[in-house]
Amino acid sequence: MALEKYNAKRDFKKTAEPQGVKKSSNGALRFVVQKHAASHLHYDFRLEIDGVLVSWAVPKGPSSNPADKRLAMHVEDHPMDYIDFEGTIPKGEYGGGTVMVWDIGTYHAEENDAVSKDNLLMKKQLKSGSIKVVLDGGKLHGSWHLVKMKGENDQWLLMKSKDEFADKKEFDPNSILTGRDFDAIAKGKKVWHRNRESDEKIVEDPILGEIKSDPKKAVKKLKSNDEFTAEDLADAKKISKFPDDWRPQLATLADETFDNDDWIFETKFDGYRALAQIQNSEVTLLSRNGLPFNSKYPEIAKTLESIANDLILDGEIVVEDSKGKSHFQWLQHLEEKPKQGQLKFYVFDILYFQGYDLRELELLQRKKILKAILPKLKNIVYSEHTIGNGTKAFAEAVKKNGEGIIAKKSDSKYYTDKRTKDWLKIKTDKQQEMVIGGFTEPRGGRVGIGALLCGYYDGSELKYSGKVGSGYTETILKDLRHKLDKIERKSSPFTTTPKEPGVHWVSPKLVAQIKFSEFTDTGSMRHPVYLGLRSDKNPKDVIMETPKVETENVAGTKSETKKATTKKATKKPAESDKALSKELPSDTKVEFTNLDKIYFPKEKITKGDVVQYYNSVADYILPYLIDRPESLRRTPDGINSEGFFQKNVAGTVPKWIKTRKIKSDSAETAVEWLLCQDKETLLFLANYGCIEMNPWSSRIGSLNNPDYIIFDLDPKGAPMKNIVKTALKVKEILDSLSVPAYIKTSGGNGLHVFIPVEPKYTYEQTRNFSHLVSQMVHRDLPEITSLERMPNKRKGKVYLDFLQNGKGKTMASIYSLRPREGAGVSTPLEWNEINDGLDLKAFNIKTIPDRLADKGDLWKDFFKNAINLKEILSKI
């Protein structure tokens, strides 16, 4: 069916669906299965043929059971631009409903290996009414058939052929692209209306129509996605009562700045945190612990009264100088010097709007709403942010002598009255609140006090943290003495009484903001400076604030130490870090951090030990890593944490590291993969939390053609003697074919057999060879081996996993550590070591350097012995 029929069914003045334009088919052909909740739920099965998506509607969807023959109604062709659409078509339009990309990938005609011939073959198959294809998608794999029913123009049957991919019981029901279900997609923003960039149509907005102060705001010109419409409140909860008991979300202290596109970065203001409750044009300003601020900052409250909407805003009250720098002490003494600087309220979040609780919305969505509704007022300012580049934001804060930055996860919700790790504070200087427990008498010509004696709470105990003798003016000294005399007491409030002459003890009721260079080993502040009193803090809440988050553990971050920006912010390495660093190259570009962190608790193996291991084996492992895209398995918290995989390193690694953009067959955008080309990159990866190295089986220049074939002998509870027996059987069969076989430990409980192959065969060809040999092994050892993919069907047997041979699939490299108990290393073995006495635990981080010194690289001639696969197959 030509695209004319597709175009005829659609009014492109009302829908933004792509107009049907035929395109040329180049490279591997693509397919998509879209799950469509229209008047009736069905699946749309689409194959790229001759520049269009030839389409069938399958009511019950694909089944992997070859016995199931699913009805498939041939419908109009769709344009290629339709292949990754996922969203909602408005009701009333043709096909109105929610569309999900259920599966997507590439395919080829059955029994054809030449991509260039696929399109012609598929045109012939379509015309004949019998289509046989091999799918390589996220869910659907292997051979599938579409057969036209006799006497029926549009009715076909879709069925699965019998192969290793048949009889998969269940498929994931959600989107292969985003993981969303229908509800999540329906609530999303991908709704096909007219192009908002050019549409001048005025649309009634039922939610904005509730704005009583200005009826004109009830309509919006849909010119830009930055404007505020009813859609923006779709996920917000309607509540009946104005919430007057909410308190601010708090940030957690982090050790250093970082870059990450999933985070935003804002200025850390040096002032008082405040919530502004606006109801019926009446304003209540509250401190972070609920104290009223109206009388203290009446100018702010008065300005906010001009906002007619009911809102709750979150922000910071500051006093700025002419250069825009905030000064906490100026804010402290605003009453005495009201003209010293400019009073402002910086607003960075919105919690409530016109009866809607916005806390469940994502942060960027809340900020979008806030920016749209916050009017331009002289002392009320929207707090801008940057996305991704925390290093630059921090450098700007240092340049302006600011307090620091706040990092916030862009998709995070708002958690009232909680301190979370979705918000991180990163300071240029060390600052924190301290409880005043006493003071000394002034000396010389000084008035008021000599120094404050400060502390922090550790449970119910007030720990002494040192005396603060600088940062005061004469006015401040007199004011402090006046306040402290009122709360003087006879005994020390500190758990351990400091030995200072002329001390006056006071009840721990006042909180001071202190700046200092660092804590000493005894918990005292070094070089402390008084900044002011904090009336918004409860003394019992003041604890020693140390970084709770190491930003190198934030997934996908490019962590930059503050040393690169300012000396004041330099993070001093631990003594153990220094000791370990001495064993590492001194001229490397890698800046080693946290080397004393424990990675393997039972063995007491540190991050530094892991870095040093890779430093010692670099010459052995690099030949198996160079030019191969790396899938980074990062375990920055050690083996007791789950860790995560990172493929795309765009913007997260130093510029000196080589990367390569590779476009997946099933995705429109390229992913930037890391290449481990040298020792410095290897050490960077180890310092980045990569205990394990995972390269592709193919190299840049021949990415579609692997240069080794893998036999993964996965034990799943099988005894060692059966693993050994299986490995020897693989060797026996390969010997009979005159194929060189190299064996190594997996680094865990299994064994890997590798065959070097000339890089001119496809992944499918190498996988088929692995499958063929695995079938021979299983034929000879049916009692102890299995080809079953489902673990519950192969308990206690050695799984012959031939599916590890696939483009983009990765496996722990030779000489790679594994992040599991024992610190095992994937180690080359000699075949005479494969016997019942084999102890896989003997090959670990502590034994491999000596083994290499003794035996060298047992695989040094591996790639020299690459086989011609076609010649081998001709012998079978």
Side-chain angles (χ1 to χ4, degrees):
M1 299 182 186
L3 288 176
E4 286 78 5
K5 189 168 184 179
Y6 168 89
N7 288 331
K9 289 186 176 185
R10 289 159 176 82
D11 182 353
F12 293 103
K13 293 181 180 179
K14 296 180 180 179
T15 176
E17 292 176 85
Q19 287 190 319
V21 178
K22 185 176 178 179
K23 297 185 177 181
S24 59
S25 290
N26 297 312
L29 298 177
R30 293 180 290 167
F31 82 94
V32 66
V33 180
Q34 285 163 312
K35 195 173 176 181
H36 192 174
S39 56
H40 298 285
L41 178 66
H42 65 278
Y43 294 73
D44 292 312
F45 187 92
R46 311 187 197 278
L47 298 175
E48 177 186 358
I49 301 177
D50 207 26
V52 299
L53 290 172
V54 181
S55 302
W56 291 263
V58 185
K60 293 186 177 181
S63 169
S64 63
N65 185 350
D68 292 336
K69 295 177 174 58
R70 294 290 166 85
L71 177 65
M73 299 297 296
H74 191 196
V75 296
E76 73 273 13
D77 297 342
H78 279 53
M80 289 304 302
D81 289 342
Y82 204 98
I83 196 166
D84 61 353
F85 171 68
E86 182 172 276
T88 303
I89 304 172
K91 291 182 180 178
E93 302 292 335
Y94 176 75
T98 304
V99 178
M100 171 196 295
V101 178
W102 185 80
D103 196 20
I104 194 169
T106 58
Y107 79 95
H108 62 83
E110 198 171 83
E111 298 181 357
N112 174 58
D113 293 330
V115 172
S116 60
K117 296 179 181 179
D118 269 330
N119 192 57
L120 180 61
L121 289 171
M122 290 310 303
K123 288 170 66 176
K124 291 180 179 179
Q125 288 192 23
L126 178 63
K127 187 175 181 179
S128 72
S130 178
I131 292 176
K132 297 180 179 181
V133 293
V134 177
L135 304 182
D136 187 12
K139 301 175 184 177
L140 304 182
H141 299 276
S143 181
W144 292 76
H145 292 179
L146 268 165
V147 180
K148 188 175 181 181
M149 297 174 66
K150 291 183 179 180
E152 302 290 343
N153 289 331
D154 297 329
Q155 294 185 16
W156 295 55
L157 295 176
L158 174 67
M159 64 199 82
K160 180 77 183 74
S161 297
K162 291 183 179 179
D163 58 21
E164 68 269 23
F165 301 103
D167 294 321
K168 178 178 174 62
K169 298 302 181 185
E170 293 182 5
F171 292 112
D172 184 342
N174 297 333
S175 166
I176 192 69
L177 292 182
T178 63
R180 297 183 296 177
D181 59 16
F182 272 134
D183 288 342
I185 295 171
K187 292 177 181 178
K189 298 296 179 286
K190 287 189 177 179
V191 178
W192 281 11
H193 289 297
R194 294 178 63 190
N195 190 333
R196 292 188 173 192
E197 293 297 322
S198 59
D199 196 348
E200 295 293 328
K201 182 181 177 183
I202 295 177
V203 179
E204 291 292 334
D205 191 324
I207 296 178
L208 294 178
E210 294 183 4
I211 301 177
K212 52 190 175 300
S213 62
D214 187 355
K216 293 181 180 179
K217 290 184 180 178
V219 292
K220 286 285 179 182
K221 288 185 178 182
L222 302 178
K223 292 181 180 178
S224 167
N225 284 334
D226 290 334
E227 291 196 36
F228 175 41
T229 69
E231 288 180 36
D232 296 311
L233 295 177
D235 294 334
K237 182 181 179 182
K238 184 79 172 177
I239 55 178
S240 58
K241 183 182 177 182
F242 187 91
D244 58 6
D245 58 347
W246 289 354
R247 298 293 176 263
Q249 176 173 333
L250 304 178
T252 301
L253 185 64
D255 61 343
E256 57 188 35
T257 190
F258 60 93
D259 292 342
N260 188 316
D261 289 341
D262 294 331
W263 291 69
I264 72 168
F265 300 88
E266 299 172 331
T267 298
K268 187 179 189 304
F269 299 103
D270 198 4
Y272 279 135
R273 185 76 174 278
L275 287 187
Q277 299 175 352
I278 306 171
Q279 185 182 21
N280 298 323
S281 297
E282 292 186 5
V283 176
T284 303
L285 275 178
L286 295 173
S287 73
R288 58 176 276 184
N289 55 2
L291 297 175
F293 268 167
N294 286 52
S295 59
K296 198 167 185 178
Y297 307 109
E299 305 98 310
I300 300 295
K302 184 68 176 176
T303 306
L304 289 170
E305 287 176 1
S306 64
I307 299 176
N309 305 321
D310 289 354
L311 308 171
I312 297 180
L313 306 175
D314 187 4
E316 189 109 355
I317 298 172
V318 302
V319 173
E320 286 184 343
D321 61 22
S322 58
K323 295 181 180 180
K325 174 176 167 52
S326 55
H327 296 266
F328 184 69
Q329 283 192 344
W330 290 11
L331 185 64
Q332 284 272 296
H333 301 283
L334 188 63
E335 291 182 14
E336 299 95 65
K337 297 182 179 180
K339 294 184 179 180
Q340 187 180 35
Q342 186 175 359
L343 182 68
K344 290 183 180 180
F345 181 39
Y346 278 92
V347 185
F348 44 71
D349 215 328
I350 182 169
L351 286 62
Y352 175 89
F353 170 74
Q354 289 295 107
Y356 284 86
D357 179 354
L358 308 185
R359 295 176 299 169
E360 290 294 308
L361 301 184
E362 293 185 358
L363 171 61
L364 283 181
Q365 185 69 7
R366 298 197 306 271
K367 294 211 70 168
K368 175 186 175 183
I369 295 171
L370 173 62
K371 190 171 185 178
I373 62 97
L374 192 67
K376 292 183 179 179
L377 302 167
K378 65 175 184 178
N379 55 355
I380 311 298
V381 186
Y382 171 78
S383 176
E384 298 287 351
H385 64 269
T386 60
I387 297 176
N389 200 335
T391 305
K392 184 178 179 181
F394 186 83
E396 284 295 314
V398 172
K399 184 178 179 181
K400 295 177 180 178
N401 201 26
E403 189 181 354
I405 59 174
I406 299 289
K408 298 178 180 179
K409 203 168 184 182
S410 58
D411 62 354
S412 61
K413 300 175 182 179
Y414 191 101
Y415 297 97
T416 44
D417 203 22
K418 288 186 179 179
R419 190 179 300 277
T420 78
K421 293 181 181 179
D422 288 341
W423 289 14
L424 304 175
K425 50 186 174 182
I426 306 159
K427 300 180 179 181
T428 55
D429 285 310
K430 286 186 170 60
Q431 279 191 37
Q432 76 161 82
E433 302 88 31
M434 288 289 172
V435 180
I436 301 173
F439 63 93
T440 62
E441 279 291 331
R443 294 181 181 179
R446 192 163 185 166
V447 299
I449 66 170
L452 293 175
L453 304 184
C454 296
Y456 57 88
Y457 277 97
D458 183 2
S460 61
E461 298 181 343
L462 184 62
K463 302 280 190 178
Y464 180 63
S465 62
K467 61 180 181 178
V468 183
S470 62
Y472 311 103
T473 64
E474 187 170 314
T475 301
I476 292 173
L477 290 168
K478 290 179 180 179
D479 181 63
L480 279 172
R481 183 62 185 252
H482 177 69
K483 288 181 169 68
L484 293 169
D485 281 344
K486 292 181 179 180
I487 56 174
E488 189 169 356
R489 58 188 262 179
K490 294 182 179 179
S491 60
S492 168
F494 298 108
T495 305
T496 302
T497 301
K499 296 179 180 180
E500 293 288 343
V503 175
H504 295 260
W505 305 116
V506 298
S507 297
K509 294 181 178 181
L510 296 180
V511 177
Q513 185 77 16
I514 308 295
K515 178 173 72 173
F516 55 99
S517 61
E518 62 182 341
F519 279 117
T520 67
D521 293 339
T522 59
S524 294
M525 298 175 288
R526 184 169 289 168
H527 311 125
V529 178
Y530 173 84
L531 297 178
L533 292 178
R534 300 211 66 114
S535 60
D536 60 332
K537 301 292 174 75
N538 185 336
K540 291 288 186 182
D541 293 336
V542 175
I543 61 174
M544 180 186 278
E545 194 174 28
T546 55
K548 298 296 190 297
V549 174
E550 293 180 351
T551 57
E552 70 169 20
N553 297 340
V554 178
T557 64
K558 173 186 173 184
S559 206
E560 300 285 352
T561 63
K562 299 175 191 173
K563 179 179 179 181
T565 313
T566 171
K567 290 182 179 179
K568 288 189 296 183
T570 300
K571 180 183 176 184
K572 294 190 175 182
E575 290 302 317
S576 52
D577 277 12
K578 293 178 181 178
L580 285 165
S581 296
K582 289 178 182 178
E583 302 174 24
L584 298 170
S586 59
D587 57 347
T588 179
K589 299 172 186 173
V590 183
E591 185 168 352
F592 301 109
T593 58
N594 302 311
L595 295 178
D596 58 342
K597 181 186 288 185
I598 297 294
Y599 268 8
F600 296 82
K602 185 176 180 180
E603 296 81 9
K604 294 183 171 53
I605 294 171
T606 66
K607 176 182 176 179
D609 296 327
V610 170
V611 175
Q612 180 55 41
Y613 167 78
Y614 281 113
N615 180 56
S616 68
V617 302
D619 292 341
Y620 294 96
I621 192 173
L622 281 171
Y624 306 93
L625 300 180
I626 290 173
D627 290 338
R628 300 179 189 274
E630 290 282 329
S631 179
L632 309 188
R633 183 179 182 180
R634 297 179 58 195
T635 321
D637 286 331
I639 68 169
N640 285 349
S641 67
E642 188 174 340
F644 55 92
F645 277 94
Q646 179 184 351
K647 295 180 180 179
N648 192 357
V649 299
T652 67
V653 298
K655 292 182 179 179
W656 55 265
I657 288 179
K658 293 188 182 300
T659 61
R660 177 64 64 94
K661 287 187 177 180
I662 302 172
K663 189 175 179 180
S664 168
D665 291 337
S666 60
E668 288 297 318
T669 57
V671 170
E672 193 165 336
W673 295 75
L674 180 143
L675 301 177
C676 187
Q677 302 296 83
D678 49 42
K679 186 174 183 176
E680 283 191 308
T681 305
L682 178 65
L683 296 181
F684 167 83
L685 289 175
N687 188 64
Y688 204 39
C690 297
I691 297 175
E692 180 177 292
M693 305 297 159
N694 289 274
W696 280 31
S697 302
S698 54
R699 300 177 190 260
I700 296 298
S702 56
L703 284 175
N704 295 318
N705 310 110
D707 53 10
Y708 51 76
I709 300 173
I710 301 168
F711 296 87
D712 181 8
L713 310 184
D714 187 351
K716 295 298 180 189
M720 192 68 231
K721 64 178 183 179
N722 288 356
I723 304 171
V724 167
K725 190 173 182 179
T726 303
L728 293 175
K729 176 57 70 172
V730 173
K731 177 72 160 56
E732 177 188 324
I733 291 172
L734 293 177
D735 283 349
S736 69
L737 298 172
S738 299
V739 172
Y742 291 79
I743 191 164
K744 69 182 181 76
T745 70
S746 67
N749 299 319
L751 294 172
H752 298 157
V753 178
F754 276 43
I755 300 170
V757 62
E758 295 174 356
K760 61 182 182 181
Y761 306 100
T762 66
Y763 271 100
E764 186 176 358
Q765 289 171 315
T766 59
R767 182 170 60 244
N768 288 342
F769 181 75
S770 179
H771 187 195
L772 179 62
V773 173
S774 296
Q775 287 175 321
M776 294 178 182
V777 173
H778 181 55
R779 175 199 62 199
D780 293 349
L781 301 174
E783 299 300 321
I784 65 171
T785 64
S786 175
L787 293 170
E788 287 282 354
R789 296 187 66 188
M790 303 300 290
N792 61 347
K793 292 185 177 181
R794 51 180 166 88
K795 290 180 180 178
K797 292 187 176 182
V798 179
Y799 175 44
L800 305 170
D801 189 0
F802 60 91
L803 295 174
Q804 290 291 351
N805 298 276
K807 183 178 179 181
K809 287 183 176 291
T810 58
M811 177 176 283
S813 168
I814 182 175
Y815 301 119
S816 171
L817 273 164
R818 302 299 303 277
R820 56 181 66 184
E821 191 174 293
V825 172
S826 187
T827 307
L829 300 176
E830 296 172 321
W831 277 103
N832 60 19
E833 294 179 282
I834 309 302
N835 54 58
D836 290 346
L838 179 63
D839 179 10
L840 297 180
K841 294 181 180 179
F843 306 96
N844 56 61
I845 189 173
K846 296 178 181 178
T847 62
I848 297 311
D850 288 342
R851 179 179 170 89
L852 283 170
D854 179 38
K855 294 180 177 290
D857 182 11
L858 296 179
W859 285 22
K860 64 180 184 298
D861 296 325
F862 180 82
F863 294 109
K864 296 178 183 178
N865 294 321
I867 64 169
N868 182 315
L869 187 58
K870 188 171 289 187
E871 289 182 3
I872 300 299
L873 289 173
S874 66
K875 299 178 183 179
I876 300 178

